[in-house]
Amino acid sequence: VSGDAYDRFMGRYSLQLAPAFADFAGVEAGQRVVDVGCGTGVLTEELARRVGADHVAGADPSPMLEACAERVPGADLRQASAEQLPWPDDSFDEALAQLVVHFMDDPAKGVDEMARVTRAGGVVAASTWDFAGGGMKLLGTFWQSVRAVDPGAESEMSPFGDRGHLDALWRGQGLQEVETEALEVSSDYDDFDELWSSFSRGVGPAGQHLLSVRPEQQEAIRAEYFARIGEPSGSFELSARAWAVRGRVA
């Protein structure tokens, strides 16, 4: 999936989430910070604005890292997974992961690695969409529509799209002073076609699912989605809520 496809689909929400998440994590000038699962660099760019690109690192296992390099020249970017970060112990003041935990193969190991590369007293923070509470309307409405057409279809869920599970994950990995908070963002669309075309780019589990079903099923899902958001005839807005968690390394 190209960086442009991601930005048109989820990046429009990530752009708004990044400054709120960085505020929540307490990122400030003088710190050295790593963006784990940096993708196209939406959060990386926000971090660079605050601390300078030469104080920012990023890791991602996907080709989207190339888009991040174009977006944030001068950052220390490595192709790596969250579970195997390529930096020594105590390399950073903060480690952040925006919309990544639910994609980790082993979230506990990923959080352990984030804590390992963060100095004692430093902050480890993450954010995930509120899947459990239905707070991410773009995706929640899509999967509701999918199941209306095919009740047996699997949907995009994660136990970490829930405040309690995120809190438990952070505490379970030994982080201290753990706090969670809801972060609210939204995105405007000129019309329904703009929204729907973002799904057709194959981004994430939703986009991949859409491209995997027959054309007539795609049309049925589209019609169901259109009805569920009130059949907008012009511009409209969709809201999104993320849970953010932070803790300090002992």
Side-chain angles (χ1 to χ4, degrees), residues 1 5 8-9 142 192-204 206-212 218-219 222:
V1 173
R8 289 175 182 271
F9 179 63
F142 177 82
F192 184 72
D193 285 342
E194 181 187 6
L195 181 150
W196 195 250
S197 68
S198 70
F199 281 101
S200 68
R201 295 170 182 268
V203 180
Q208 291 167 20
H209 179 84
L210 186 67
L211 297 184
S212 74
Q218 293 182 20
E219 285 303 313
R222 184 188 191 281

Side-chain angles (χ1 to χ4, degrees), residues 23-236:
D23 284 346
F24 171 78
V27 177
E28 57 187 16
Q31 294 178 326
R32 181 159 169 75
V33 187
V34 62
D35 181 3
V36 177
C38 57
T40 64
V42 172
L43 177 61
T44 321
E45 186 175 37
E46 176 63 29
L47 299 177
R49 276 195 287 267
R50 296 176 182 228
V51 304
D54 59 336
H55 280 61
V56 174
D60 198 281
S62 80
M64 287 195 291
L65 193 67
E66 296 175 9
C68 185
E70 292 179 4
R71 197 174 212 144
V72 193
D76 176 14
L77 303 179
R78 315 278 184 94
Q79 193 151 29
S81 69
E83 294 87 351
Q84 292 184 304
L85 295 177
W87 291 281
D89 296 359
D90 309 323
S91 294
F92 303 101
D93 298 295
E94 299 213 12
L96 281 69
Q98 176 165 291
L99 309 178
V100 172
V101 170
H102 59 291
F103 287 122
M104 292 179 185
D105 291 332
D106 185 342
K109 175 62 175 173
V111 176
D112 278 345
E113 276 289 276
M114 291 172 70
R116 179 186 66 77
V117 301
T118 303
R119 64 168 176 79
V123 170
V124 174
S127 59
T128 65
W129 293 126
D130 176 19
F131 290 114
M136 209 305 166
K137 295 193 180 301
L138 176 75
L139 297 176
T141 305
F142 177 82
W143 292 112
Q144 290 167 6
S145 303
V146 167
R147 290 195 298 273
V149 173
D150 178 7
E154 295 184 3
S155 62
E156 183 177 0
M157 290 295 292
S158 166
F160 302 110
D162 168 89
R163 182 176 196 162
H165 281 88
L166 267 184
D167 181 271
L169 177 62
W170 252 238
R171 294 181 189 278
Q173 304 319 117
L175 291 159
Q176 307 295 307
E177 300 176 31
V178 176
E179 298 180 63
T180 57
E181 184 175 305
L183 305 178
E184 306 277 350
V185 297
S186 64
S187 182
D188 295 319
Y189 295 89
D190 291 336
D191 52 33
F192 184 72
D193 285 342
E194 181 187 6
L195 181 150
W196 195 250
S197 68
S198 70
F199 281 101
S200 68
R201 295 170 182 268
V203 180
Q208 291 167 20
H209 179 84
L210 186 67
L211 297 184
S212 74
V213 301
R214 299 187 306 273
E216 58 269 27
Q217 286 182 293
Q218 293 182 20
E219 285 303 313
I221 295 168
R222 184 188 191 281
E224 183 70 26
Y225 197 118
F226 186 56
R228 285 176 179 270
I229 62 170
E231 302 184 354
S233 59
S235 62
F236 61 96

